[in-house]
Amino acid sequence: MCGARHTNATIHTCTSTIGHHFGCIALSSKYPAPALNPVSASSTLTVGLNPAQQEAVLHLGGPCLVLAGAGSGKTRVITHKIARLIEVGLAPERIAAITFTNKAAAEMRERARQLVGKGAQKVLICTFHALGVRLLREDGAVLGLKPKFSILDSDDITGILKDCAGGTADIATARQWQWTISAWKNAGLTAADALAQAQTDDEHTIALLMQQYQERLSAYQAVDFDDLIGLPLKLLQQHAEVRTRWQQKMGHVLVDEYQDTNATQYELLKLLVGERARFTAVGDDDQSIYGWRGATLDNLRKLPIDFPALQVIKLEQNYRSTSAILRAANNVIGPNPKLFPKKLWSDLGEGEPVRVLACDNEEHEAERMVARIVSIRAGSGPLASPHRELRDFCLLYRANHQARLFEVALRKAQIPYKVSGGTSFFDRAEIKDLCAWLRLLVNNDDDPAFMRAITTPKRGVGHQTLAALGTFASQYKISLFEALFAHSLSTALPARAVGSLHEFGRTLNELEHRARHTTGADNARTFLMEWLKDIGYEQHLYDGEDNEKAAAARWNNVVEFCDWMAQRCGGQIADAAGVHTETERKTVLEVAQTIALLSTISEREQDQNVVTLSTLHAAKGLEWPHVMLVGVNEGLLPFKLDETADVPADQLAQRLEEERRLMYVGITRARNSLVVSWLKRRKKGREFITGKPSRFIAEMALDQSTAREDPREKLRALRAEFAQRAQVATNAAKPT
């Protein structure tokens, strides 16, 4: 269930994120449904778990909601529950664990492997979108999709929408259309639904564009990110045999970050689990911060109504933060209405007090934060922090633009850093364009790469031609490239269109031949730059950007990529200790075959020993020993909350509640120390205005003497409570 966390700019396949083979296995006695007493069952898997975690792991017989507070060990609960399900006889291939990001899925997969061994390889652990891909690859034919359908992302979508509007719209307008259409899809609306309930001229216009856009996708045999949830939902709703088969496959479904699911994802979950309702939803209503992209707390409200047998288990013991940090977090989130009240606590000790710094302006704030990093790293004596690596520090802010001055101050102090949440080099649209061409040289049958290459740059092949080509290829069950040279293509397309397609095919064949016979860095660089000149790629970038500087920056990225490719073709002379050696020569085509591995490069960058700069949204799920939460001013956090504007009171209240949850998420990223800073004077546009500390700073109640819970007493009380529950369950199970 991944909200649009999104991704930029290419047509691509999703096979790398789908996980291991998930075979179709019918219900039988071979896979008995777990029917154990959730309290009295014993297992070595529960050793080291607290009472609430044990209850969550052992509850197997029906729907379960685990309210997992920040740092309460939710991933541990999920992986131990997977192990427990396997232990009681459920086949691993009938267990699905759904996360929100590929990174979270990879972490969960590794932890499950450590706990279960090879059996974990058969468990489906993936994002909700990857699950959607699997459903559509296996059963999408009943919706008219072929298995090799293309998946479009952001830049492709805006390009199609601009074409649908006649090519006159700017990128910003097309992006706005895209977001509106995405919101409609996440709410479960079709183009017809959107048109029927359009209330303004703009909404009416966008609904008509959505209709054309969907027709294009169908013709292209393509889907967008939202379709990876919406189409599987349609598949299960409208085709009973497919629904039954998938419900039989799903012995138990575990959903991580449940509070971030949207309406469509919830409906899909319900259809996947069916009436047996063997699922575990793990989430925290206090960390729901993605309302702007369709996530809704209604999904939490609906669970007890739609599943009356729902078991609700709260994880309140925090294993991350000190008591001082948790007290500030509990105080901040306190004013929000509670679906399921809970209060985090820790036995890690009181720790350092949370500090609030009032800074003169943005530059002063940046200097103070850098000084704090330097001070902690240089600290000595018994009170010195044991966490003094650069990777132990994080600067958190509300909006991306706040990072710039901190970057300046860190560079001045010669402190290396990374900006989290920024676009990876290999995720940039222009790099993905080139990768699509290279992928197509390696594998002519790569339809998604074909679609991107033939339209980037544009070469006189319009959407109607591509639609007809897609229909022709689908009819004869061949790839788009194969279809180019089919003898009967002339019966499906006009001669002029066939001529344009043949020209593209000849271009590809020539490029492939040259790439196969071009070796060494110098030759490769020449080949790549000549190729880009031949297809007019530099001009394409300048034509597609409203800003010349932005276009120049993108072209520089292209040149850097070509250098990267050329270097890997080898042939350079290296001088090692006075010995001259020539690096291994490779062809451009051989290097192109490694393009699929590029994503691992950006992942390795995450392990660098550097200070992290991150938005609050991008930091969710992460933690650091030392956190500096900066720019905590009214107008920034909470963000532009104009209480005098003509906005309904309930909407204003909801916005404030989500902003408060965002502050809560920021506070709970900290393990050992937390500093919160605000600006006495801050820049707004080109002017300076008097800064006002965020209301959330007062809500932390740092100057109040609040009651401090004894964690030992808390643990004794919890053990007594769960022991009593166990006894009640045992007595109820005895024959009368």
Side-chain angles (χ1 to χ4, degrees):
M1 289 187 221
C2 186
R5 204 165 274 181
H6 313 330
T7 56
N8 292 329
T10 193
I11 305 175
H12 61 283
T13 57
C14 240
T15 52
S16 62
T17 62
I18 298 174
H20 301 282
H21 180 67
F22 192 41
C24 180
I25 302 172
L27 285 170
S28 71
S29 58
K30 185 179 177 182
Y31 305 114
L36 299 180
N37 184 306
V39 183
S40 63
S42 61
S43 172
T44 56
L45 291 168
T46 60
V47 174
L49 302 180
N50 67 41
Q53 290 172 330
Q54 289 181 30
E55 187 177 29
V57 168
L58 295 174
H59 182 81
L60 307 178
C64 180
L65 172 61
V66 181
L67 291 163
S72 62
K74 66 180 178 68
T75 305
R76 193 177 189 202
V77 165
I78 292 171
T79 51
H80 276 68
K81 191 155 189 173
I82 290 170
R84 178 59 172 163
L85 286 162
I86 294 170
E87 186 180 63
V88 302
L90 188 65
E93 56 265 37
R94 298 191 59 226
I95 303 169
I98 302 166
T99 69
F100 251 82
T101 65
N102 290 324
K103 183 181 177 183
E107 181 189 348
M108 192 174 291
R109 197 176 295 117
E110 176 56 25
R111 290 175 67 169
R113 187 194 63 78
Q114 291 173 0
L115 197 61
V116 180
K118 289 184 179 178
Q121 294 177 354
K122 296 181 179 179
V123 177
L124 180 64
I125 302 176
C126 66
T127 65
F128 226 86
H129 291 86
L131 178 61
V133 171
R134 175 164 298 211
L135 274 149
L136 294 177
R137 296 252 187 250
E138 289 191 19
D139 292 300
V142 299
L143 299 177
L145 278 177
K146 62 180 184 179
K148 285 188 176 181
F149 61 83
S150 303
I151 302 170
L152 303 138
D153 56 16
S154 188
D155 279 12
D156 304 298
I157 296 167
T158 53
I160 293 174
L161 288 171
K162 285 175 71 174
D163 275 353
C164 290
T168 57
D170 59 25
I171 292 173
T173 303
R175 287 268 187 254
Q176 193 60 56
W177 295 339
Q178 180 188 345
W179 295 333
T180 302
I181 292 170
S182 177
W184 285 341
K185 286 189 174 187
N186 286 330
L189 302 181
T190 64
D193 297 332
L195 193 59
Q197 61 184 51
Q199 296 181 352
T200 66
D201 289 345
D202 279 350
E203 287 181 355
H204 188 266
T205 300
I206 299 170
L208 290 173
L209 277 172
M210 183 179 177
Q211 203 166 31
Q212 294 180 59
Y213 168 68
Q214 289 300 130
E215 288 170 0
R216 293 274 187 99
L217 292 194
S218 181
Y220 289 173
Q221 283 287 303
V223 300
D224 61 24
F225 223 56
D226 299 311
D227 289 331
L228 295 178
I229 307 298
L231 289 178
L233 176 61
K234 182 180 177 182
L235 182 67
L236 297 184
Q237 283 174 333
Q238 299 181 0
H239 300 275
E241 71 287 355
V242 176
R243 181 171 65 248
T244 300
R245 188 163 65 252
W246 277 92
Q247 287 177 355
Q248 290 175 340
K249 290 180 182 183
M250 298 290 188
H252 200 101
V253 180
L254 302 102
V255 183
D256 193 14
E257 304 287 8
Y258 178 76
Q259 78 281 347
D260 294 333
T261 57
N262 60 39
T264 315
Q265 289 164 338
Y266 179 61
E267 293 302 316
L268 182 56
L269 174 66
K270 285 201 300 183
L271 287 173
L272 282 170
V273 301
E275 292 182 2
R276 292 173 68 245
R278 299 285 170 83
F279 71 87
T280 302
V282 182
D284 181 8
D285 51 334
D286 290 335
Q287 295 187 74
S288 179
I289 59 174
Y290 295 111
W292 49 275
R293 72 176 187 210
T296 174
L297 283 174
D298 282 344
N299 291 354
L300 274 165
R301 294 188 185 96
K302 288 175 181 175
L303 273 181
I305 301 166
D306 292 343
F307 301 96
L310 184 74
Q311 178 85 358
V312 179
I313 301 166
K314 298 176 187 177
L315 304 185
E316 296 175 291
Q317 184 174 358
N318 176 286
Y319 294 92
R320 173 187 301 160
S321 308
T322 62
S323 294
I325 293 168
L326 291 183
R327 196 158 53 248
N330 287 330
N331 289 342
V332 162
I333 204 66
N336 272 11
K338 299 291 188 290
L339 292 175
F340 305 95
K342 65 180 182 305
K343 190 175 181 181
L344 294 183
W345 61 278
S346 167
D347 65 356
L348 299 176
E350 177 64 15
E352 285 187 31
V354 176
R355 291 177 170 83
V356 176
L357 297 182
C359 303
D360 295 339
N361 51 39
E362 285 93 340
E363 288 84 357
H364 183 223
E365 183 179 49
E367 289 168 3
R368 293 195 70 174
M369 296 304 137
V370 170
R372 177 170 174 80
I373 294 170
V374 172
S375 173
I376 292 174
R377 283 174 54 79
S380 59
L383 297 178
S385 172
H387 306 287
R388 288 187 284 179
E389 296 289 329
L390 291 172
R391 63 168 60 91
D392 294 332
F393 296 86
C394 179
L395 283 151
L396 294 178
Y397 37 80
R398 176 65 174 80
N400 277 308
H401 70 83
Q402 294 172 266
R404 187 180 67 82
L405 287 175
F406 294 103
E407 290 189 70
V408 171
L410 287 164
R411 285 199 298 268
K412 186 178 177 181
Q414 298 185 331
I415 296 174
Y417 66 90
K418 66 176 181 182
V419 181
S420 182
T423 305
S424 160
F425 181 79
F426 293 102
D427 284 334
R428 298 181 189 278
E430 56 274 19
I431 306 306
K432 288 192 168 185
D433 285 345
L434 306 190
C435 287
W437 277 84
L438 294 170
R439 280 167 41 203
L440 194 55
L441 298 186
V442 173
N443 175 17
N444 294 157
D445 294 331
D446 187 336
D447 278 4
F450 181 98
M451 288 290 292
R452 189 170 192 113
I454 201 169
T455 55
T456 313
K458 293 188 183 299
R459 50 196 325 107
V461 179
H463 72 274
Q464 289 181 336
T465 298
L466 289 176
L469 181 68
T471 302
F472 181 87
S474 184
Q475 181 182 348
Y476 291 100
K477 294 182 171 52
I478 56 178
S479 70
L480 294 171
F481 184 83
E482 282 182 281
L484 290 186
F485 302 104
H487 292 299
S488 53
L489 184 62
S490 58
T491 63
L493 284 164
R496 185 176 175 182
V498 172
S500 297
L501 291 171
H502 282 175
E503 183 186 347
F504 177 68
R506 284 192 293 271
T507 299
L508 280 176
N509 285 334
E510 183 187 343
L511 277 172
E512 182 184 342
H513 177 79
R514 289 179 62 195
R516 192 182 299 278
H517 294 91
T518 299
T519 61
D522 292 339
N523 293 333
R525 190 175 290 105
T526 301
F527 162 71
L528 291 166
M529 296 309 293
E530 286 178 353
W531 160 53
L532 293 174
K533 185 179 179 181
D534 289 343
I535 66 173
Y537 192 78
E538 185 177 8
Q539 190 61 47
H540 160 75
L541 289 182
Y542 278 88
D543 291 344
E545 282 289 347
D546 302 326
N547 183 298
E548 191 169 320
K549 283 186 178 178
R554 293 183 67 188
W555 176 247
N556 285 336
N557 290 335
V558 168
V559 173
E560 186 179 337
F561 175 78
C562 290
D563 285 340
W564 183 90
M565 284 283 298
Q567 291 290 332
R568 278 147 187 79
C569 289
Q572 299 102 323
I573 303 297
D575 187 351
V579 180
H580 294 278
T581 56
E582 185 177 1
T583 57
E584 182 187 359
R585 288 176 174 267
K586 293 181 179 178
T587 69
V588 172
L589 200 66
E590 286 173 321
V591 174
Q593 290 171 340
T594 67
I595 292 293
L597 303 174
L598 293 183
S599 60
T600 61
I601 295 170
S602 55
E603 288 172 10
R604 281 199 289 275
E605 290 173 356
Q606 297 171 359
D607 298 327
Q608 292 176 328
N609 188 21
V610 296
V611 173
T612 299
L613 278 65
S614 174
T615 63
L616 286 161
H617 284 98
K620 187 165 172 290
L622 304 175
E623 61 183 68
W624 294 267
H626 307 292
V627 169
M628 288 152 276
L629 183 48
V630 301
V632 187
N633 280 61
E634 288 290 315
L636 288 172
L637 185 66
F639 187 68
K640 294 180 181 176
L641 203 68
D642 188 357
E643 293 169 340
T644 63
D646 188 21
V647 180
D650 60 331
Q651 289 186 23
L652 203 62
Q654 287 176 13
R655 282 177 55 193
L656 178 59
E657 288 164 15
E658 180 151 325
E659 291 290 302
R660 185 175 282 113
R661 292 195 292 269
L662 195 57
M663 179 74 177
Y664 174 82
V665 165
I667 294 171
T668 54
R669 298 313 91 197
R671 286 164 48 191
N672 300 85
S673 79
L674 173 67
V675 167
V676 178
S677 63
W678 65 279
L679 306 168
K680 296 177 184 178
R681 188 167 170 262
R682 70 183 185 90
K683 203 166 184 181
K684 190 175 182 180
R686 295 185 177 182
E687 298 183 352
F688 283 93
I689 61 171
T690 301
K692 184 181 177 184
S694 167
R695 68 193 75 186
F696 301 148
I697 291 178
E699 289 177 1
M700 289 193 295
L702 301 178
D703 56 346
Q704 297 177 15
S705 57
T706 52
R708 300 180 181 180
E709 287 190 68
D710 183 348
R712 291 169 298 181
E713 281 299 318
K714 187 81 174 175
L715 277 170
R716 278 196 288 271
L718 280 173
R719 288 192 184 105
E721 179 189 341
F722 283 100
Q724 187 179 7
R725 285 197 211 175
Q727 188 59 51
V728 169
T730 301
N731 293 338
K734 289 179 179 177
T736 55

